[in-house]
Amino acid sequence: MPVLHSRAMDKDQIYSESLANIADFSFDAQVADVFPDMIERSVPGYRAIITMIETLTEHYAQPGSNLYDLGCSLGAATLSMARGVNAEDCTIIAVDNSATMVERCRKAVEQNHTCAGVLVVEGDMVTTKITNASVVVLNFTLQFIPPEQRGQLLEKIANGMLPGGVLILSEKVVFKDDHLNGLLVDIHHDFKRAHGYSDLEISQKRNALENVLIPETIATHRERLLKAGFTSVDVWFQCFNFMSMLAIK
Ligand code: GEK
């Protein structure tokens, strides 16, 4: 994994003490400080997906095109794209609406001496212009966009993509079957416990995310991507209730 920032090894203890009021989760400085540790211990398969984004970028990046990482946080996927891109004359545009994340992502890009041109932009992915794109990454970020805005955002992305371009969409998901859904939620919590989170941390974080991270079913994602203008859509990675899809223009 790349160096994400100088404090990349800080341990996430944000929800370790009992809190009187649990505010909605936000991507502030406190979260940015511990983000690499938080996401690796919370998202099964995260590291594998980051690694594979390099391979997928190598395969799909087209010469003279733009590559987007929407909701880039500290730039883990951005740096994977930068390592993977072989096509000439590509620009990688990393976007996040958290000022702290953007500041630290810029530092990570500088520290990792990427040769592909990388622009790190503070902005809302909903209003970001997408043009001439061969690879677009939404790595666990669409889930933070209000569901009623997701269709329009995906249409805008599809419209800004070149034929043969790919969208990599990774999300936490829910399942229609209540039994299976409950089982996979329990297994995810087991995963978090195995990675050192206490029951208190798990339940307080869950409350903080309740109104902020809205997961949907794989079927909902698939149908919406097809409606948005992608021609081939399927899951390429899944671990419990976390998955990643490829949507080809
Ligand atoms: C990774 N992709 O490491 N516009 C731009 N950014 C946004 C918006 C928005 N409207 N809403 C949320 N974000 C990263 C991990 S984290 C996932 C992505 C997680 C940003 C938000 O500021 C945060 O940095 C990111 O999306 C979500 O591969 O924490 O579960």
Side-chain angles (χ1 to χ4, degrees):
M1 292 285 275
V3 180
L4 289 181
H5 63 102
S6 53
R7 302 178 59 186
M9 297 313 290
D10 286 4
K11 190 166 185 217
D12 170 25
Q13 294 179 320
I14 295 174
Y15 296 101
S16 60
E17 303 290 328
S18 181
L19 301 168
N21 290 310
I22 300 178
D24 278 353
F25 188 82
S26 77
F27 292 95
D28 54 17
Q30 189 189 23
V31 168
D33 279 346
V34 298
F35 190 73
D37 176 70
M38 171 186 278
I39 197 153
E40 282 228 30
R41 292 200 289 133
S42 302
V43 176
Y46 173 75
R47 187 182 276 253
I49 292 171
I50 291 293
T51 304
M52 292 307 158
I53 285 174
E54 182 177 334
T55 307
L56 291 166
T57 302
E58 192 179 343
H59 190 87
Y60 282 101
Q62 300 178 28
S65 67
N66 293 327
L67 283 56
Y68 292 86
D69 181 11
L70 302 176
C72 58
S73 301
L74 301 179
T78 311
L79 293 171
S80 247
M81 293 164 94
R83 282 191 302 275
V85 67
N86 275 339
E88 298 217 332
D89 206 17
C90 288
T91 303
I92 300 175
I93 300 147
V95 179
D96 205 289
N97 67 351
S98 156
T100 321
M101 291 290 193
V102 166
E103 187 199 319
R104 293 174 195 202
C105 182
R106 281 199 186 115
K107 279 193 194 139
V109 167
E110 280 164 24
Q111 280 173 17
N112 285 274
H113 309 292
T114 60
C115 37
V118 181
L119 298 174
V120 184
V121 179
E122 183 180 340
D124 190 329
M125 71 177 89
V126 173
T127 52
T128 299
K129 265 200 174 163
I130 307 292
T131 57
N132 191 34
S134 60
V135 180
V136 179
V137 170
L138 282 169
N139 204 35
F140 301 106
T141 61
L142 189 69
Q143 59 198 14
F144 294 105
I145 302 297
E148 66 279 8
Q149 294 179 21
R150 294 179 187 178
Q152 257 192 334
L153 170 60
L154 293 172
E155 266 173 40
K156 177 188 74 174
I157 292 172
N159 290 338
M161 289 185 70
L162 297 165
V166 72
L167 167 68
I168 303 164
L169 172 66
S170 312
E171 291 274 292
K172 183 175 189 180
V173 290
V174 287
F175 299 85
K176 240 178 157 182
D177 180 310
D178 285 342
H179 176 72
L180 188 68
N181 195 56
L183 186 68
L184 290 169
V185 168
D186 288 348
I187 291 173
H188 176 225
H189 292 165
D190 290 343
F191 170 92
K192 292 188 76 165
R193 262 181 229 108
H195 286 82
Y197 284 116
S198 67
D199 288 345
L200 177 68
E201 286 176 295
I202 293 169
S203 93
Q204 293 195 129
K205 172 89 178 279
R206 197 179 186 189
N207 290 343
L209 282 172
E210 198 173 4
N211 302 316
V212 181
L213 189 170
I214 317 280
E216 297 172 298
T217 63
I218 292 175
T220 300
H221 285 296
R222 183 180 282 120
E223 281 154 27
R224 192 168 43 213
L225 287 163
L226 290 169
K227 200 164 160 238
F230 293 95
T231 53
S232 299
V233 175
D234 220 327
V235 173
W236 66 274
F237 179 91
Q238 186 173 346
C239 187
F240 310 135
N241 45 348
F242 293 80
M243 64 93 212
S244 188
M245 296 179 111
L246 287 180
I248 300 162
K249 175 82 185 289

